[in-house]
Amino acid sequence: MATYAIGDIQGCFTPLTELLKLIDFNQATDSLWFAGDLINRGPQSLDVLRFIHSIRDSAKVVLGNHDLHLLAVARGHAHLKKADTLADILNAPDRDTLLDWLIQQPLCHYDARLNIVMSHAGIPPCWNLPQALSLAQEAHQMLISDRADDFFAVMYGNKPDHWKDELTGMDRQRAIVNYFTRMRFCKKGGKLDLKQAGSTYADTKQGFDAWFNFPSKLPKKCQIVFGHWAALEGKTKKETIHALDTGCVWGSSLTALRLEDGQRFSTPCHYE
Ligand SMILES: [Mn+2]
């Protein structure tokens, strides 16, 4: 009986099936955590979504920016971009089943027994654990309410880029969602730089650094698992902060972390 956290799959279904074989995944006894970005860019997004939906009773999923983009497109608030590979999902006969399930997934998952928290991009240094869980819950409640369309209509944007408890309305929701799904670099007080997309380069002159390099407000032994940042190649140099996006869709590998003992497993990507 084990719990495995798996990084960004992005439609790489074959590597996923190989990874599950490697860890000898047993649906009856093991649990899988998925760090978001299940779909997009890769070739088999529909297969990935159907599979995770089919094992949903053994899975914990948090939403990533690509998952939210799919939901926004499906609801008519955004267009497919050139690099998007989401058409197979949008045209599938079971799309409503899959998308209705997807939108009900949270932005953050915390397991008290393991004392591990997961979100797609991480937990910013400006939030303590109860605050992060409460803000994730607040945005989740909005997404499963009739306000979701109002949100998707204004989801895309980098502002506000600095968390303040006083934020209200959709600015507040966009900020919460950006911290949980798009954060890479921030300043000490939590101000985000969402323009530095893929690299590991921080504009240190301005005081920006990777979010996990600032002192955390989380309890000391609480571990964080996150995806989203393939350029890190799975490394943060922090014992309790685990980067799981190892760039499968970019030709690298797909990674699972066994949460009970910290052992990593990975399978190479065979796509070009
Ligand atoms: Mn992402």
Side-chain angles (χ1 to χ4, degrees):
M1 198 188 107
T3 312
Y4 298 89
I6 296 178
D8 306 36
I9 302 164
Q10 298 209 239
C12 295
F13 184 63
T14 303
L16 175 62
T17 57
E18 290 171 358
L19 184 62
L20 297 183
K21 247 182 254 160
L22 178 70
I23 63 175
D24 199 15
F25 170 61
N26 180 337
Q27 198 187 331
T29 55
D30 297 330
S31 306
L32 298 179
W33 291 18
F34 294 97
D37 282 359
L38 309 178
I39 46 94
N40 210 6
R41 300 288 186 267
Q44 290 177 281
S45 287
L46 178 58
D47 292 325
V48 170
L49 209 52
R50 280 180 175 156
F51 172 74
I52 297 176
H53 178 259
S54 76
I55 59 151
R56 59 193 178 279
D57 291 343
S58 314
K60 301 288 181 194
V61 173
V62 292
L63 292 171
N65 52 307
H66 284 286
D67 309 309
L68 288 164
H69 175 60
L70 167 65
L71 291 164
V73 171
R75 287 160 168 257
H77 297 293
H79 294 291
L80 287 179
K81 291 182 256 171
K82 219 175 169 185
D84 289 342
T85 56
L86 301 170
D88 55 346
I89 298 173
L90 296 167
N91 296 323
D94 51 345
R95 67 168 253 171
D96 289 347
T97 305
L98 297 171
L99 297 180
D100 288 350
W101 167 79
L102 187 64
I103 202 168
Q104 291 172 49
Q105 304 314 304
L107 290 161
C108 186
H109 172 67
Y110 174 65
D111 185 299
R113 179 182 66 89
L114 293 165
N115 197 19
I116 299 178
V117 64
M118 169 176 70
S119 83
H120 180 59
I123 308 288
C126 55
W127 293 347
N128 61 37
L129 185 60
Q131 188 179 14
L133 297 177
S134 146
L135 293 172
Q137 177 65 10
E138 180 183 329
H140 170 67
Q141 288 300 329
M142 177 277 295
L143 285 169
I144 59 172
S145 77
D146 54 13
R147 291 179 294 148
D149 281 298
D150 297 338
F151 172 73
F152 284 119
V154 297
M155 177 176 75
Y156 299 88
N158 294 343
K159 300 275 178 174
D161 56 10
H162 195 172
W163 177 255
K164 286 188 178 62
D165 292 335
E166 299 76 29
L167 286 171
T168 58
M170 287 305 164
D171 277 353
R172 178 180 176 91
Q173 301 301 322
R174 191 189 309 104
I176 296 171
V177 167
N178 280 343
Y179 274 102
F180 279 119
T181 66
R182 295 180 57 215
M183 168 178 68
R184 287 189 182 97
F185 297 108
C186 70
K187 286 194 189 185
K188 189 165 168 245
K191 184 183 165 76
L192 291 168
D193 180 0
L194 291 169
K195 292 187 296 280
Q196 292 281 354
S199 75
T200 51
Y201 168 78
D203 192 353
T204 44
K205 268 187 221 150
Q206 299 292 320
F208 287 104
D209 202 347
W211 62 267
F212 49 80
N213 283 335
F214 295 99
S216 168
K217 287 188 177 173
L218 266 49
K220 236 187 182 162
K221 289 190 174 158
C222 180
Q223 301 186 66
I224 303 174
V225 296
F226 72 105
H228 185 58
W229 199 348
L232 295 175
E233 299 175 346
K235 299 180 196 94
T236 64
K237 297 183 184 162
K238 309 277 174 195
E239 256 174 50
T240 56
I241 305 181
H242 307 283
L244 293 182
D245 183 356
T246 44
C248 192
V249 75
W250 310 117
S252 189
S253 64
L254 188 66
T255 291
L257 175 73
R258 190 161 60 202
L259 298 179
E260 283 80 6
D261 64 0
Q263 172 138 7
R264 278 178 181 249
F265 303 83
S266 67
T267 44
C269 181
H270 301 301
Y271 304 122
E272 289 193 353

